[in-house]
Amino acid sequence: MELVFKRPECLIDIPFHFCPGCHHGIAHRLVAEAIDYFKIREKTIGVASVGCSVFMYDYFNVDVLEAPHGRASAVASGVKRARKDRIVFTYQGDGDLAAIGIAEGIHTANRGENITIIFANNGIYGMTGGQMAPTTLLGQKTSTSPYGRDFTSDGYPIRMAEMLATLEGSAFVARVAVNNPANLMKAKRAVRKAFQMQIEEMGFSFVEILLACPTNWGMTALEANRRVEEEMIPYFPLGILKERKMADYL
Amino acid sequence: MWPFECGEIVENQEPEKILAKGNEAIAMAAMDSRCLLYFGYPITPQNDIPEYLSKHLPALGGEFIQAESEIASINLLLGASATGARAMTSSSSPGISLMQEGISYMAGSELPALIVNISRSGPGLGGISPSQGDYFQATRGGGHGDYRMIVLAPSSVQEMYDLTCLAFNLADKYRNPAMILGDALIGQMKEPLIRRKCAKMDLPVKDWALTGAQGRKPNRLKSLYLQDGELSEHNWKLHQKYEQMKKEEVRFESFFTEDAKLMVAAFGSMARVSKTSVELAREEGMKVGLLRPITLFPYPEKALYDLSQRVKLFLTVELNTGQMVEDVKLSVERDVQVYFYGRPPGSLPSPEEVLEEIRKYYG
Amino acid sequence: MNSDRFYYNIIVAGFGGQGVMVIGNLLANAAMIEGKYVTYLPVYGVEMRGGTANCTVVISSQQIGSPVVGKPHAALVMNLPSLIKYEPLILPSGLLFINSSLIEPKETYRKDIEIFSVPVNEIAIDNGSPKLANMVALGAFNQKTKLVQMNSLFVSLEKVLDERYHHLIPSNIKAIEIGAKFVQSLP
């Protein structure tokens, strides 16, 4: 009988620690599948950030480096500058990339570093227990915005993909979700495309993935899935925002 | 071999003597030590280092990145170092403060690299005049957690070169960040320099480096340890390393110790000024010696202790209001008088002023 | 300078832009070529009080301790603020070299030091190279003190000046020679 579904070679055979209904596991899988697809496992170096994604080194069967909070993109730039013959990616949450590490993220994109950033946006701080993130939606209640996010004190949710797409240095910028099979297939293509861009040395590639965090949203898995569709996607529209063609170089 | 992998030291191109600035000597030593990766952010008084390297690294196939901040610089360095490549950054006091988080992570993840601090005066934005106010920060780790950094304090342009070469070797030997702690005086001063090959050191293979998991299990570099007892074990391992440094890597220089009645202790720029003061004191017939720590961590505790068996007067001279003097006091016998002469940044003490202090305590 | 132990230090001071750092660099490099130990220490930034830029050069037959000098053997002052700052510091029987083009002569100089005045700007202008007053001063100072061989200074120009200015080396050499000749011609 033909095997139609198996664990990617790039993922280690241990259970994820993620909560039930959390989308991190799916996002990890998309990255692992892309690495397998291009057969680059043995030349890939991953950079883990701080947050729920920090345990990346337990799951990915590739060399992994743990970065200080927010600094993953700078760390990845250093790895890539030292080893341009390797494939380098970061997997960063919204606190890591859009709050404490926003300067590093913007300048990494602006330098056109030939790396891939996978940006896991669930609009909340998962690991520390559900505090407000820079991508928390207006009105959304979290443990540090108990009355709902209010722009007068908390500012507005940041659209990272749009911001990075404006920079000359970025080559590929997309936002995807994994809340239904159709979106998942698009997400898979986008992540694959991002790695392809890096392999082809086209420059900085960035995929924002909208993730559900049922535990900290205080929802069931299904409710959380629906919330991605009904609340997050309207504010964080999906699609490819920028795709540099080889012709742009010529 | 990948171009930036640590390997043979480059043969020196120009063995002739040149008149070089201290900061430039560091840059030359980095290139001669096959460090071809530099990440930094401009700050006075160390800009000669990035300026020199931005000019010369591209021709050698290296990478020079002016980062958006010292925070980015130290993390670019962390990433480059994780691949096993030799890499460096340089900055001055406020910038070094910004780097402390990254340095702590590097110590925790056991990553070797060179960090140069051509220190200026603080606190805060302070000023750009020479200062030794960063002694505590450098020798006590500086960032969070129970770690140490190898700290070398050059006191001449030639030493800026030689100790930079040594710092790369010690960093690789111990898998630990190493710092050159200089100041504007040593950094801006010019002296004759010979780009001489540094002594060979047997260095361990960097089998921990992240190069892609080809034909081996994946390598992990991290500082997070959450399993029971794991972190404690990790800290003990680091401690052992620091103890080994104390046994094997202490370096210091001393003058006129044989018959000394009073010993001056000073490092870096102040050791230069003090050396002249000691010579002047000798001309006046005072039996005065000088001990100059070259490694600030590991500190020459034993040398001081041994000296203090027969010398009962010590005078520590620093360009701050009293930092290294604590280490002198911790090192010497209890019946020793340890005096301090220092001043906050602003003006440099002249040899005559230090001599005045020597006279005061010599009795 | 065949004595067993040679030690000499000098402070060169003037306005920023008068080229005092180049004077210090050339002296240090020339002495190094002649096998001496040297230190050259520039003072920069906020320490440039009173509108002066200065550098300290120490030349010795033995290893040099302090590059910082409290009481110099000689001071070469190119402007009035530098005169005011350094005249009191010079060692007894030391040398005060004054650019008399920019510093009015006075009656009250210290009596225990040698005062040596040269109108370096006027000499430079008379010889058609007003920008090379610093080289005239260097030539005159070195002729007076005989610190280094003139030829060592000429050779040093190539090492000290940025490559962009190497085409100016012949005119710099000429200016140094003019300064030296002025001193030779003095009674």
Side-chain angles (χ1 to χ4, degrees):
Chain A
M1 200 164 62
E2 196 195 348
L3 189 64
V4 294
F5 186 84
K6 65 181 174 73
R7 176 178 290 277
E9 191 194 346
C10 195
L11 282 183
I12 294 166
D13 189 7
I14 57 161
F16 286 128
H17 73 287
F18 301 121
C19 307
C22 167
H23 286 175
H24 267 308
I26 302 171
H28 274 34
R29 185 182 171 94
L30 292 179
V31 173
E33 283 177 350
I35 293 170
D36 280 6
Y37 177 83
F38 293 111
K39 298 188 170 53
I40 49 172
R41 188 188 72 79
E42 293 183 333
K43 55 184 286 194
T44 295
I45 298 165
V47 179
S49 64
V50 174
C52 287
S53 51
V54 72
F55 296 111
M56 200 175 95
Y57 47 72
D58 284 337
Y59 305 134
F60 280 89
N61 192 17
V62 301
D63 279 4
V64 179
L65 173 59
E66 169 199 281
H69 193 23
R71 320 295 172 219
S73 62
V75 169
S77 304
V79 171
K80 188 74 178 194
R81 292 283 171 168
R83 294 299 300 243
K84 290 188 174 167
D85 61 337
R86 293 298 185 255
I87 302 302
V88 182
F89 76 96
T90 74
Y91 185 101
Q92 298 175 257
D94 41 46
D96 200 87
L97 184 83
I100 190 169
I102 197 164
E104 286 79 5
I106 287 173
H107 283 277
T108 297
N110 195 48
R111 282 193 303 267
E113 295 285 353
N114 190 32
I115 64 164
T116 300
I117 290 183
I118 304 297
F119 173 42
N121 177 6
N122 56 14
I124 203 150
Y125 282 64
M127 185 175 243
T128 46
Q131 294 84 7
M132 183 178 60
T135 48
T136 294
L137 295 176
L138 286 180
Q140 186 181 338
K141 288 179 180 169
T142 69
S143 61
T144 51
S145 58
Y147 309 109
R149 180 175 189 156
D150 174 359
F151 68 85
T152 60
S153 54
D154 310 324
Y156 296 89
I158 293 178
R159 293 187 183 95
M160 282 305 295
E162 282 80 351
M163 191 191 295
L164 295 182
T166 65
L167 300 173
E168 293 294 333
S170 58
F172 179 78
V173 179
R175 183 184 287 116
V176 297
V178 294
N179 61 320
N180 61 44
N183 281 346
L184 184 62
M185 291 315 289
K186 285 182 199 155
K188 183 173 176 161
R189 282 198 293 276
V191 172
R192 189 181 285 178
K193 182 76 190 176
F195 277 90
Q196 189 183 343
M197 297 293 277
Q198 183 180 166
I199 292 165
E200 291 172 357
E201 297 181 12
M202 297 284 281
F204 180 78
S205 54
F206 180 87
V207 181
E208 175 172 341
I209 309 180
L210 301 181
L211 304 182
C213 179
T215 300
N216 286 301
W217 292 356
M219 293 177 175
T220 67
L222 282 177
E223 285 167 351
N225 242 15
R226 261 200 307 280
R227 180 174 179 269
V228 171
E229 189 69 38
E230 290 166 6
E231 294 182 31
M232 287 186 83
I233 292 176
Y235 189 86
F236 296 114
L238 306 184
I240 292 172
L241 286 83
K242 185 176 188 181
E243 184 176 349
R244 183 184 283 162
K245 304 279 188 243
M246 189 54 91
D248 297 343
Y249 277 123
L250 303 174
Chain B
M1 194 206 293
W2 181 255
F4 303 143
E5 240 166 79
C6 146
E8 266 300 291
I9 306 295
V10 177
E11 282 291 345
N12 300 329
Q13 309 290 315
E14 306 167 76
E16 65 163 330
K17 201 189 278 181
I18 50 173
L19 188 68
K21 207 183 246 193
N23 284 339
E24 287 176 352
I26 288 179
M28 292 173 196
M31 294 185 340
D32 293 349
S33 302
R34 212 167 163 67
C35 166
L36 302 181
L37 297 163
Y38 176 94
F39 312 102
Y41 184 85
I43 183 170
T44 306
Q46 59 82 51
N47 291 324
D48 316 280
I49 300 174
E51 282 166 10
Y52 190 94
L53 289 172
S54 64
K55 187 174 172 190
H56 291 97
L57 281 184
L60 298 172
E63 292 278 329
F64 173 91
I65 303 286
Q66 180 170 322
E68 66 273 19
S69 68
E70 288 87 351
I71 299 175
S73 306
I74 194 75
N75 286 287
L76 280 147
L77 180 64
L78 187 155
S81 161
T83 69
R86 277 193 165 170
M88 72 174 289
T89 185
S90 63
S91 188
S92 181
S93 309
I96 298 290
S97 292
L98 277 173
M99 292 183 183
Q100 291 304 331
E101 176 200 44
I103 297 173
S104 168
Y105 275 74
M106 293 179 83
S109 311
E110 297 190 83
L111 288 172
L114 175 67
I115 298 145
V116 176
N117 181 3
I118 304 301
S119 64
R120 48 189 269 176
S121 32
L125 199 49
I128 59 170
S129 55
S131 165
Q132 295 184 326
D134 293 355
Y135 178 87
F136 281 152
Q137 186 197 53
T139 58
R140 268 60 178 169
H144 62 281
D146 195 4
Y147 74 93
R148 291 290 189 276
M149 211 173 10
I150 298 156
V151 184
L152 304 171
S155 83
S156 68
V157 171
Q158 186 67 50
E159 265 195 355
M160 287 288 242
Y161 181 91
D162 295 345
L163 293 183
T164 297
C165 297
L166 177 66
F168 279 113
N169 280 345
L170 292 181
D172 282 345
K173 180 176 173 186
Y174 290 95
R175 277 188 69 180
N176 203 72
M179 174 175 276
I180 295 283
L181 180 62
D183 59 28
L185 192 144
I186 300 293
Q188 300 293 325
M189 180 170 75
K190 284 188 184 179
E191 278 187 307
L193 168 74
I194 297 172
R195 289 170 79 166
R196 61 192 178 200
K197 204 170 171 173
C198 80
K200 216 173 154 58
M201 195 178 271
D202 274 333
L203 298 176
V205 178
K206 294 182 171 178
D207 52 7
W208 45 265
L210 303 190
T211 54
Q214 191 170 9
R216 60 161 169 79
K217 287 195 162 175
N219 279 341
R220 261 100 222 218
L221 289 169
K222 59 174 190 136
S223 58
L224 181 69
Y225 294 93
L226 294 175
Q227 304 297 322
D228 238 7
E230 228 184 10
L231 186 57
S232 154
E233 194 184 314
H234 179 59
N235 268 263
W236 279 121
K237 182 187 160 199
L238 296 179
H239 175 76
Q240 292 305 326
K241 214 162 70 170
Y242 308 142
E243 289 302 305
Q244 189 192 343
M245 290 173 194
K246 285 183 187 174
K247 279 198 197 86
E248 297 180 17
E249 308 303 344
V250 171
R251 287 163 173 82
F252 63 92
E253 188 183 28
S254 55
F255 303 98
F256 309 121
T257 51
E258 310 75 36
D259 60 342
K261 208 181 122 197
L262 180 149
M263 284 298 296
V264 175
F267 71 96
S269 55
M270 282 307 98
R272 288 295 292 265
V273 174
S274 302
K275 194 185 167 200
T276 296
S277 315
V278 166
E279 282 165 355
L280 293 172
R282 285 272 162 182
E283 280 171 22
E284 291 181 13
M286 288 186 276
K287 290 174 179 169
V288 181
L290 174 70
L291 185 117
R292 174 174 77 88
I294 295 171
T295 51
L296 301 184
F297 184 89
Y299 196 71
E301 294 160 9
K302 189 171 179 302
L304 277 160
Y305 178 79
D306 291 347
L307 266 172
S308 72
Q309 299 304 310
R310 50 190 177 79
V311 185
K312 296 301 174 189
L313 284 173
F314 279 74
L315 172 63
T316 307
V317 179
E318 298 177 61
L319 200 53
N320 55 43
T321 54
Q323 298 195 14
M324 188 184 83
V325 63
E326 293 188 6
D327 284 337
V328 174
K329 282 180 181 167
L330 284 169
S331 304
V332 296
E333 276 283 11
R334 286 189 170 196
D335 63 344
V336 168
Q337 291 289 324
V338 179
Y339 298 103
F340 173 76
Y341 175 66
R343 59 167 69 170
S347 62
L348 293 163
S350 68
E352 291 81 6
E353 288 170 294
V354 177
L355 176 65
E356 199 57 40
E357 296 296 309
I358 292 174
R359 283 198 202 104
K360 193 158 93 190
Y361 297 114
Y362 189 82
Chain C
M1 285 186 288
N2 291 323
S3 59
D4 284 334
R5 185 167 179 179
F6 175 78
Y7 178 87
Y8 198 78
N9 55 45
I10 140 172
I11 289 176
V12 189
F15 288 125
Q18 276 186 308
V20 299
M21 301 303 190
V22 180
I23 296 177
N25 267 293
L26 286 170
L27 280 172
N29 202 82
M32 178 187 78
I33 292 172
E34 294 175 6
K36 295 284 195 300
Y37 290 94
V38 295
T39 62
Y40 159 85
L41 181 68
V43 168
Y44 58 91
V46 290
E47 264 200 316
M48 290 188 206
R49 281 176 302 218
T52 74
N54 74 72
C55 64
T56 304
V57 176
V58 182
I59 301 172
S60 176
S61 57
Q62 283 166 310
Q63 278 204 354
I64 296 164
S66 179
V68 182
V69 172
K71 294 174 180 165
H73 292 115
L76 191 170
V77 294
M78 294 288 280
N79 66 355
L80 185 60
S82 302
L83 176 85
I84 294 166
K85 185 169 176 183
Y86 293 108
E87 186 192 352
L89 301 180
I90 297 169
L91 278 176
S93 71
L95 172 69
L96 176 62
F97 183 105
I98 293 173
N99 173 15
S100 53
S101 300
L102 296 184
I103 303 168
E104 297 270 327
K106 60 173 185 175
E107 296 298 312
T108 53
Y109 289 121
R110 270 171 64 184
K111 302 288 180 247
D112 62 338
I113 55 174
E114 183 181 0
I115 310 294
F116 192 77
S117 297
V118 179
V120 298
N121 291 75
E122 277 135 16
I123 297 171
I125 291 164
D126 289 348
N127 285 278
S129 44
K131 285 182 180 171
L132 294 175
N134 63 332
M135 291 297 117
V136 173
L138 173 60
F141 178 82
N142 194 53
Q143 182 63 35
K144 170 73 184 161
T145 58
K146 304 261 183 359
L147 263 184
V148 294
Q149 309 274 339
M150 285 296 174
N151 195 52
S152 304
L153 292 175
F154 302 156
V155 175
S156 297
L157 281 165
E158 198 185 318
K159 303 284 179 191
V160 168
L161 295 185
D162 192 280
E163 272 174 34
R164 284 174 294 171
Y165 304 119
H166 278 193
H167 65 285
L168 298 173
I169 288 177
S171 53
N172 276 267
I173 290 177
K174 197 178 145 224
I176 293 171
E177 282 173 335
I178 288 164
K181 277 195 194 112
F182 176 85
V183 174
Q184 279 169 342
S185 69
L186 291 176

